[in-house]
C-alpha cells in the first residue's frame, strides 16, 4: 500500500511575492477568490516563466470579459486578449507578481446574465516528464480524470477548492503566450494534506493548517 504524503485535494495555493501587501490587494480586487489564494513574502529569486498557469473556468464569454477587465484595472498585464477559439472564448493575463492566469469558457455565446461566479479553478503545473509526475500523484491517491499520453493529465477535483492538472512545460508556456525560459523559484506552494512533500518538478506541498 502506498503512503499518501500529499493531499488528494488542494485546499488553497500560496503565491510568493516581493510585495505581499500589494499582491493581496490585487487578488482581492481582480478575482475575489478569498481564502483559496494566499500570499506571503518571496524568499528565493525567480525569473521568466515559473512553470505554472492557473485557469479560472467560467460559464460564458461575458464572465471572461468581466474578470479580465477587473484584473487589468487592478494592475494585470494582458498577455492574450479575450478572443474566440475552436475551444471557446478565453484570455490570459499576468498578475503584477508575475503569475500567469487564464480565464476561459467553453461557451462561444452568452446565453444568460453574467452570474458573477467562477465555476472552477484549475492549476496546471508544467512537467518535464508527464508520466513520472502523473505516477507521483497517482501513488499519493489522486484519481485521473483525463489523460493524453505524455502531453496532459487532469486529476479529479475530489472535493478540493482547486483542481490539479499536468501539462508539458513547453506547450503550457506556448498556450499561455509566454516564453518557456525561466529559472529559480516557482513562487507557488500547494496547501493540502498532512505532510510536506515536493513533486518531481519541484512544486512544493505544505500541510493544511501549517
Amino acid at each position: 500500500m502506498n503512503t499518501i504524503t500529499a493531499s488528494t485535494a488542494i485546499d488553497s495555493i500560496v503565491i510568493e511575492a516581493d510585495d505581499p501587501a500589494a499582491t493581496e490587494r490585487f487578488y482581492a480586487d481582480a478575482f475575489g477568490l478569498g481564502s483559496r489564494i494566499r500570499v506571503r513574502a518571496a524568499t528565493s529569486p525567480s525569473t521568466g516563466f515559473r512553470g505554472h498557469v492557473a485557469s479560472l473556468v467560467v460559464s460564458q464569454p461575458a464572465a471572461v470579459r468581466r474578470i479580465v477587465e477587473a484584473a487589468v484595472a487592478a494592475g494585470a498585464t494582458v498577455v492574450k486578449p479575450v478572443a474566440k477559439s475552436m475551444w471557446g472564448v478565453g484570455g490570459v493575463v499576468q498578475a503584477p507578481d508575475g503569475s500567469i492566469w487564464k480565464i476561459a469558457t467553453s461557451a462561444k455565446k452568452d446565453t444568460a446574465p453574467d452570474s458573477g461566479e467562477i465555476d472552477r479553478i484549475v492549476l496546471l503545473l508544467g512537467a518535464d516528464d508527464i508520466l513520472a509526475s502523473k505516477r507521483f500523484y497517482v501513488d499519493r491517491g489522486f484519481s485521473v480524470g483525463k489523460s493524453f499520453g505524455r502531453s496532459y493529465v487532469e486529476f479529479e477535483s475530489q472535493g478540493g477548492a482547486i483542481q490539479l492538472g499536468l501539462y508539458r512545460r513547453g506547450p503550457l508556456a506556448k498556450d499561455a503566450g509566454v516564453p518557456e525560459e525561466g529559472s529559480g523559484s516557482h513562487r507557488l506552494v500547494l496547501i493540502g494534506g498532512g505532510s510536506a512533500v515536493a513533486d518531481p518538478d519541484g512544486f512544493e506541498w505544505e500541510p493544511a493548517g501549517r
Side-chain angles (χ1 to χ4, degrees):
M1 179 179 294
N2 293 312
T3 300
I4 297 176
T5 55
S7 173
T8 54
I10 304 174
D11 298 324
S12 62
I13 61 173
V14 175
I15 302 292
E16 297 181 334
D18 293 326
D19 188 337
T23 301
E24 285 181 347
R25 288 194 299 272
F26 168 79
Y27 284 110
D29 294 343
F31 302 142
L33 298 175
S35 61
R36 290 174 288 186
I37 304 296
R38 295 157 50 188
V39 179
R40 69 186 182 202
T43 58
S44 301
S46 182
T47 61
F49 181 50
R50 294 176 183 164
H52 57 86
V53 174
S55 293
L56 304 181
V57 182
V58 295
S59 61
Q60 57 185 3
V64 174
R65 293 189 290 271
R66 169 180 54 81
I67 295 172
V68 169
E69 289 170 3
V72 171
T77 301
V78 174
V79 178
K80 282 187 174 182
V82 175
K84 286 185 179 180
S85 71
M86 63 182 298
W87 307 110
V89 175
V92 178
V93 299
Q94 185 170 31
D97 66 86
S99 299
I100 303 296
W101 292 78
K102 182 176 183 178
I103 301 90
T105 177
S106 59
K108 295 187 178 181
K109 294 182 179 180
D110 295 320
T111 57
D114 180 9
S115 67
E117 298 295 320
I118 293 172
D119 296 339
R120 289 189 300 148
I121 306 172
V122 182
L123 178 63
L124 295 175
L125 305 182
D128 290 330
D129 184 335
I130 287 285
L131 296 184
S133 296
K134 175 184 176 181
R135 185 164 55 250
F136 172 88
Y137 283 106
V138 168
D139 285 349
R140 282 152 182 80
F142 280 77
S143 297
V144 175
K146 299 177 183 178
S147 182
F148 300 96
R150 297 179 180 271
S151 299
Y152 179 81
V153 176
E154 186 175 292
F155 298 101
E156 299 286 356
S157 61
Q158 300 179 192
I162 299 170
Q163 194 168 356
L164 180 64
L166 305 173
Y167 206 160
R168 285 194 297 122
R169 181 185 171 95
L172 178 61
K174 182 178 181 180
D175 180 70
V178 298
E180 178 184 353
E181 293 74 25
S183 63
S185 172
H186 292 302
R187 293 205 172 177
L188 176 79
V189 178
L190 293 74
I191 304 299
S195 60
V197 65
D199 79 3
D201 299 287
F203 289 99
E204 296 182 357
W205 284 76
E206 289 183 2
R210 176 169 173 175

